[in-house]
Coordinates of all heavy atoms in Angstrom, one line a residue:
E241 N 4.0 49.8 302.6 CA 4.9 50.6 303.5 C 6.3 50.7 302.9 O 6.9 51.7 303.1 CB 4.9 50.0 304.9 CG 3.6 49.9 305.6 CD 2.9 51.3 305.6 OE1 3.6 52.3 305.9 OE2 1.7 51.4 305.4
T242 N 6.7 49.7 302.1 CA 8.0 49.8 301.5 C 8.0 50.7 300.3 O 8.9 51.6 300.1 CB 8.4 48.4 301.0 OG1 8.5 47.5 302.1 CG2 9.8 48.4 300.3
G243 N 6.9 50.6 299.5 CA 6.8 51.5 298.3 C 6.8 53.0 298.6 O 7.4 53.7 297.9
I244 N 6.0 53.4 299.6 CA 6.0 54.8 299.9 C 7.3 55.4 300.3 O 7.5 56.6 300.1 CB 4.9 55.2 300.9 CG1 5.2 54.6 302.3 CG2 3.5 54.8 300.4 CD1 4.3 55.0 303.4
Q245 N 8.2 54.6 300.8 CA 9.5 55.1 301.1 C 10.3 55.6 299.9 O 11.1 56.5 300.0 CB 10.4 54.0 301.8 CG 9.8 53.5 303.1 CD 10.6 52.4 303.7 OE1 11.9 52.4 303.6 NE2 10.0 51.4 304.3
F246 N 10.0 55.0 298.8 CA 10.8 55.3 297.6 C 10.0 56.2 296.6 O 10.6 56.7 295.7 CB 11.2 54.0 296.9 CG 12.1 53.2 297.7 CD1 11.7 52.1 298.5 CD2 13.5 53.4 297.6 CE1 12.6 51.4 299.3 CE2 14.4 52.7 298.4 CZ 13.9 51.7 299.2
L247 N 8.7 56.3 296.8 CA 7.9 57.1 295.9 C 7.8 58.6 296.3 O 7.2 59.4 295.7 CB 6.5 56.5 295.7 CG 6.6 55.1 295.1 CD1 5.1 54.6 295.0 CD2 7.2 55.1 293.7
G248 N 8.4 58.9 297.5 CA 8.4 60.2 298.0 C 9.8 60.8 298.0 O 10.6 60.4 297.2
Q249 N 10.0 61.8 298.8 CA 11.3 62.5 298.9 C 11.8 62.4 300.3 O 11.0 62.4 301.3 CB 11.2 63.9 298.5 CG 10.8 64.2 297.0 CD 12.0 64.0 296.1 OE1 13.1 64.1 296.5 NE2 11.7 63.7 294.8
H250 N 13.1 62.4 300.5 CA 13.6 62.5 301.9 C 15.0 63.1 301.9 O 15.7 63.1 300.9 CB 13.7 61.1 302.6 CG 14.8 60.2 302.0 ND1 14.6 59.4 300.9 CD2 16.1 60.0 302.4 CE1 15.7 58.7 300.7 NE2 16.6 59.0 301.6
L251 N 15.3 63.7 303.0 CA 16.6 64.4 303.2 C 17.1 64.1 304.6 O 16.4 64.4 305.5 CB 16.5 65.9 303.0 CG 17.7 66.8 303.3 CD1 18.8 66.5 302.2 CD2 17.4 68.3 303.3
A252 N 18.2 63.5 304.7 CA 18.7 63.0 306.0 C 20.1 63.7 306.3 O 20.9 63.9 305.4 CB 18.9 61.5 306.0
T253 N 20.3 64.0 307.5 CA 21.6 64.6 307.9 C 22.7 63.6 307.6 O 23.8 64.0 307.3 CB 21.6 65.0 309.4 OG1 21.2 63.8 310.2 CG2 20.7 66.1 309.6
G254 N 22.4 62.3 307.6 CA 23.4 61.3 307.3 C 23.9 61.4 305.8 O 25.1 61.3 305.5
Q255 N 23.0 61.7 304.9 CA 23.4 62.0 303.5 C 24.3 63.2 303.4 O 25.3 63.1 302.6 CB 22.1 62.2 302.7 CG 21.2 61.1 302.5 CD 19.9 61.5 301.8 OE1 19.1 62.3 302.3 NE2 19.7 60.9 300.6
L256 N 24.0 64.2 304.2 CA 24.8 65.4 304.1 C 26.2 65.2 304.7 O 27.2 65.6 304.1 CB 24.1 66.5 304.9 CG 22.7 66.9 304.3 CD1 21.9 67.7 305.3 CD2 22.9 67.7 303.1
L257 N 26.3 64.4 305.8 CA 27.6 64.1 306.4 C 28.4 63.2 305.5 O 29.6 63.3 305.4 CB 27.4 63.5 307.7 CG 26.7 64.4 308.8 CD1 26.5 63.6 310.1 CD2 27.5 65.6 309.0
D258 N 27.7 62.3 304.7 CA 28.4 61.4 303.8 C 29.0 62.3 302.6 O 30.1 62.0 302.2 CB 27.4 60.4 303.2 CG 27.1 59.3 304.1 OD1 27.8 59.2 305.2 OD2 26.1 58.5 303.9
L259 N 28.2 63.3 302.2 CA 28.7 64.1 301.1 C 30.0 64.9 301.6 O 31.0 65.0 300.9 CB 27.6 65.1 300.7 CG 28.1 66.2 299.7 CD1 28.4 65.6 298.4 CD2 27.1 67.4 299.6
A260 N 29.9 65.4 302.8 CA 31.0 66.2 303.4 C 32.3 65.3 303.5 O 33.4 65.7 303.1 CB 30.7 66.7 304.8
R261 N 32.1 64.0 303.9 CA 33.2 63.1 304.1 C 33.8 62.8 302.7 O 35.0 62.8 302.5 CB 32.7 61.8 304.7 CG 33.8 60.8 305.0 CD 33.2 59.5 305.5 NE 32.4 58.9 304.5 CZ 31.2 58.3 304.7 NH1 30.8 58.2 306.0 NH2 30.5 57.8 303.8

Side-chain angles (χ1 to χ4, degrees):
E241 299 306 319
T242 301
I244 62 172
Q245 297 177 37
F246 295 95
L247 299 177
Q249 295 282 338
H250 71 273
L251 174 69
T253 52
Q255 293 173 296
L256 298 163
L257 297 177
D258 286 347
L259 173 70
R261 182 188 63 220

